[in-house]
Amino acid sequence: MTAPTLPGLTPDTATATEPTPAAAAPPAPGSRAARLALPMSRQVLKEMAAEYGVCLRPVTLRRTDLHTGQTEVIDLPCGSTREDKCSPCAKRARRLRQTQIREGWHRADEPNPAGANPATDAQRELVLLRAHLEFARDEAQRSAQFDQVPGIDQAIAEVEEAIAAEGMRGQVAPPHDDDTDSGRRKRSTKRRQDAPDLPRKKVEPRTVGKVYTAPDGTQHRPSMWLSLTLDSYGRVLPDGTPVDPGSYDYRRAAWDAVHFARLLDRFWQNLRRCVGWNVQYAGCVEPQRRLAPHAHFAIRGTIPRAMLRQVAAATYHQVWWPPADELVYSLDRLPVWDNDADAWVDPDTREPLTTWADALDLLDADPDAQPVHVVRFGRQVHAEGVTPGTVHADRTIGYITKYITKSAADCHKAETDRQRDHLDRLWHQLRITPCNERCANWLLYGIQPKKAHGRLQAGRCKGKVHQRATLGIGGRRILVSRDWSGKTLADHRADARAWVRKLLGVSTGADDADADSVDQDDAPAYAWEMARPDDPDIPPLQHRLLRALSQRAQWKAALLAARDRAATTDTNTPSVPPPAEPEE
């Protein structure tokens, strides 16, 4: 039923002529409403501290000079990468990652051309000693002198620690382990019949891309960015919710999310074998609006799009675990722990559940056994070429790092009941999905997990994939290949500090030490310890934030003044923005 209108007026005209409500009168001075309208001083302090990049949750340490006995309280940034915990530290971490991607994306030279340094004489002597101990252990076992084996194993462990302390990476040999069940079970590496074959080349150590020559003779070396997504689990609406929640495959969505990281590893392995060179990448894993994980990567060099789609279509990961198609027990009816049998048993029959080793033995003995799950990519494989030094390149870096400061569940806020219900259904499926061979959720499927104990709680595994904030993405969300930029995050932070010091004309401590030839015995030695907030020598947090805010404001003013001087004078001082904002 429509509302009546005055004669000669249309509904639109009548609506337009309706009187607008009067503006609310300001509260009376001195009233409670007027006081509530005033800004909170502490909230303004936090807002200004975040604006200037001051950590809102500093870690307080107490530093004691071992020579003089003087004690000093120092606040260090918390280093959080989550914006909901500490926005300044998270934004600083995001800029650092952007710098890392920018420096490694369009490199024209190899990041590590020299390779590893040659071993020193001391390192070689330790390796030779490790070889003698291995020979002695083998001789003791051959001569049945088993009482000598534990002593030799202890000596081997000490030598391995000395090798690591001497500055060598990794272990010379794997440790001796008598537990036969801890050994990895070998599976056939034959490709599945339903997966297309891929060409295989010898992978060269080259990491830089191909150089293209234009008709005018100019050369350029473009790169690419790539997006990989998982398969469909059912039709979804524009808001990411399924059209039919009853037919949406939440189980496969949960299993795919848990094993998505291994699928990405398989993809890069297959891609390098197909193209024949060591492809380098840097990217981020984040959920789509339908809450399924997908990944964006910056790739150094160019690869044909047809090759990328072919590799994505042929890449899969098989999960060789015991069958877990149907639940044997529910969260309301769980197995119980039997102290006498030292095992989990059925609550009615008191029969022990199948152990993990027995379940794998049954799987190995079955000639027709199939993997419990196979995860694959979907059809959507998006790839674009990117030219270095363009606006497109900067925008792509911002797009890749768009959500790295947010948790997976916060990337797309659930604003409607349909979205909240979709999130709840996926999370409830993740709660009962096994995450590894020691996961307590195996009890729901009638199997005792590996190294089971009485403290396990099915449906409450502490793995990250079961948390509501991760949406099944339990591993690292930022993935950077080993030879991307040739630097670690600590190196990039050091570059930012060096840039600021050079711009401000401040010499580094290493330069001062070389110039003055400081004796190592006179160098200060400090003892560090964590300080408690209730210690008498620890000022309130607001006092520390005020001091840090003042220091940060002075630092920014000096930096802007130095930039202005560098822009107006003809000097060698750099006038470009720093690679990343240095920490406090």
Side-chain angles (χ1 to χ4, degrees), residues 415-432:
E415 300 177 349
T416 63
D417 292 338
R418 288 183 58 89
Q419 291 176 332
R420 285 187 284 270
D421 293 341
H422 176 53
L423 175 59
D424 290 338
R425 288 189 291 266
L426 177 61
W427 177 56
H428 286 303
Q429 186 64 42
L430 287 170
R431 286 185 59 192
I432 62 175

Side-chain angles (χ1 to χ4, degrees), residues 23 193 281 286 369 393 406 436 442:
Q193 297 296 325
Y281 60 88
E286 61 189 38
K406 299 179 180 293
N436 54 48
W442 282 113

